[in-house]
Amino acid sequence: ISALLAGDRSKYSIDDIEEASILSESEKKAASLFQHAWKASFDDHRTPLAIFQLREAASHLPDEPIFPRLAGILLMIQKKYKLALPLLMKNLDYNKDKGGYKCEQLKAEAFLWVGRCLDMLKERDEAIGYYQQAAAVPNAEPVSTAAAYYIKHKFKKKELSKMTSEFTVG
């Protein structure tokens, strides 16, 4: 940061952190597609392209939950609920595979988004089941609180207008 502020281009680049893992070719391709999806969504406002790139990234790293999760959320924002549901259901699979989510909030969010999508598809009884599962996840505040709310109140389309996808890098 200090090199950037000082305008010293010779110090912009730094070596990788020691012990940082080297990405495989699949990981590099998926990361590149993820970055392109981010740009397509936020900079270019080309949501269909972002969804395509996220789905393509998932083909390179099928065990990474962020790709179907974001593609499903973007499809929900576009009101394409039938297309979103299988991706959000796939995101739920990560709860079962390889020991599940490491973060309780992400686990609860997976259930919450399926419930929201089912509400949009007018499958209220099934949605409530997913909200209950999200609400029951321990240490998942504020997600579990939101899920408890939706057990009693149907998720509405107007709430989607307040939603945004959150691209994160980790």
Side-chain angles (χ1 to χ4, degrees):
I1 299 290
S2 59
L4 180 65
L5 293 174
D8 187 354
R9 286 187 174 271
S10 66
K11 294 183 180 176
Y12 280 11
S13 229
I14 59 172
D15 294 330
D16 286 339
I17 299 170
E18 282 186 41
E19 300 176 13
S21 64
I22 296 173
L23 298 178
S24 70
E25 287 306 311
S26 290
E27 291 168 328
K28 287 178 187 175
K29 184 66 176 167
S32 175
L33 285 161
F34 183 79
Q35 290 171 340
H36 283 91
W38 188 344
K39 181 182 183 315
S41 180
F42 288 107
D43 294 344
D44 303 336
H45 305 288
R46 296 178 64 195
T47 303
L49 177 60
I51 293 165
F52 172 81
Q53 290 167 327
L54 288 166
R55 295 184 82 174
E56 183 68 17
S59 73
H60 292 279
L61 280 182
D63 292 333
E64 175 52 57
I66 195 65
F67 305 133
R69 173 191 297 263
L70 279 173
I73 291 170
L74 288 172
L75 283 164
M76 282 207 45
I77 291 168
Q78 289 193 315
K79 298 176 178 52
K80 296 179 180 178
Y81 313 118
K82 286 183 181 179
L83 295 173
L85 186 60
L87 293 168
L88 296 171
M89 293 298 285
K90 179 166 178 43
N91 187 42
L92 267 181
D93 290 342
Y94 297 104
N95 286 328
K96 302 171 195 152
D97 298 343
K98 298 184 181 183
Y101 283 107
K102 304 299 181 224
C103 171
E104 295 300 305
Q105 282 187 327
L106 290 177
K107 181 178 179 179
E109 283 179 8
F111 288 112
L112 180 66
W113 276 105
V114 170
R116 287 171 169 171
C117 192
L118 287 166
D119 258 344
M120 295 294 89
L121 290 167
K122 297 181 177 27
E123 298 290 339
R124 180 72 180 143
D125 291 338
E126 197 175 348
I128 290 171
Y130 285 97
Y131 293 141
Q132 289 170 332
Q133 290 179 77
V137 175
N139 304 313
E141 298 295 334
V143 180
S144 55
T145 303
Y149 173 84
Y150 289 117
I151 291 169
K152 296 177 183 175
H153 305 91
K154 185 179 180 223
F155 184 75
K156 296 180 175 78
K157 287 180 185 179
K158 68 179 181 178
E159 292 176 271
L160 282 171
S161 66
K162 303 175 201 170
M163 302 278 173
T164 184
S165 57
E166 183 175 327
F167 282 73
T168 58
V169 178

